[in-house]
Amino acid sequence: GAGVSQSPSNKVTEKGKDVELRCDPISGHTALYWYRQSLGQGLEFLIYFQGNSAPDKSGLPSDRFSAERTGGSVSTLTIQRTQQEDSAVYLCASSLGARKNTEAFFGQGTRLTVV
Amino acid sequence: KQEVTQIPAALSVPEGENLVLNCSFTDSAIYNLQWFRQDPGKGLTSLLLIQSSQREQTSGRLNASLDKSSGRSTLYIAASQPGDSATYLCAVRRDDYKLSFGAGTTVTVRA
């Protein structure tokens, strides 16, 4: 596709359930990032992928959060045993690589609501 | 740790007025700075990317300046229109990949 695609656009889940969020980056972009935007808060870095490997997972808030990327393309962010504080918009971005001066492009986000 | 601040948090102007949005950052060792626009309930749209070696970047009615030594960037939007109403975010890249974001300036352009 022409841009970064995220699915679903909205997800309502019950507390304690697991959820999977999907990101399809721009074709040819080797770098992929996940960010979280909570209501009234700024963007919080979660994880970065270069190809299929994740050299920086420092932003994942707890061990309930995990992410993988396969084929150097699609990435899935999984949240296990969801809690109400996980409610936020999850944004994915991609860029051509980890080169210093590459532009990052964001998807439309997945709005997660835990009830 | 890189701290990014955007002032003001909100701005309301009449249509036709020029907009000036400010972004400051604490660590001047950045690789680039990117300005984004976010409409309510939407993702981020990239507006301008300024490399660390550049002083400014222009696209249509938008002009962004960068003063690395003082840790500041300014986004100018000329002749504002109601369609410019959105939240504007600046982000700096210090490491090779991670972007650090400000909290944004929410702009309302009154018709």
Side-chain angles (χ1 to χ4, degrees), chain A residues 35-39 41-44 88-89 91, chain B residues 38 44 89:
Chain A
Y35 284 81
R36 178 169 73 173
Q37 188 175 36
S38 302
L39 188 62
Q41 302 295 313
L43 272 82
E44 174 189 12
V89 176
L91 291 160
Chain B
Q38 186 173 33
L44 276 65
L89 297 154

Side-chain angles (χ1 to χ4, degrees), chain B residues 18-32:
Chain B
N18 296 334
L19 287 164
V20 181
L21 309 179
N22 297 301
C23 172
S24 62
F25 45 94
T26 53
D27 187 344
S28 62
I30 65 168
Y31 289 135
N32 63 42

Side-chain angles (χ1 to χ4, degrees), chain A residues 6-11 109-112:
Chain A
Q6 292 187 246
S7 61
S9 54
N10 282 284
K11 176 73 176 179
T110 293
R111 180 174 299 277
L112 176 66

Side-chain angles (χ1 to χ4, degrees), chain B residues 2-3 5 22-30 33 52 55 65-74 92:
Chain B
Q2 178 72 272
E3 301 285 344
T5 304
N22 297 301
C23 172
S24 62
F25 45 94
T26 53
D27 187 344
S28 62
I30 65 168
L33 184 146
S52 59
R55 298 283 291 184
S65 66
L66 174 64
D67 185 342
K68 255 182 52 173
S69 60
S70 66
R72 293 179 186 175
S73 176
T74 302
V92 297

Side-chain angles (χ1 to χ4, degrees), chain A residues 90-108:
Chain A
Y90 290 82
L91 291 160
C92 175
S94 71
S95 65
L96 270 174
R99 289 174 293 169
K100 299 171 185 178
N101 290 316
T102 54
E103 190 172 2
F105 296 90
F106 280 77
Q108 292 299 295

Side-chain angles (χ1 to χ4, degrees), chain A residues 9-61:
Chain A
S9 54
N10 282 284
K11 176 73 176 179
V12 180
T13 190
E14 292 181 353
K15 178 181 173 181
K17 300 280 190 182
D18 298 351
V19 295
E20 284 189 354
L21 311 180
R22 175 187 168 107
C23 173
D24 202 340
I26 293 172
S27 178
H29 281 195
T30 61
L32 185 146
Y33 322 78
W34 284 97
Y35 284 81
R36 178 169 73 173
Q37 188 175 36
S38 302
L39 188 62
Q41 302 295 313
L43 272 82
E44 174 189 12
F45 170 81
L46 298 179
I47 189 170
Y48 156 71
F49 285 93
Q50 179 56 40
N52 291 336
S53 64
D56 189 348
K57 305 179 183 180
S58 63
L60 294 178

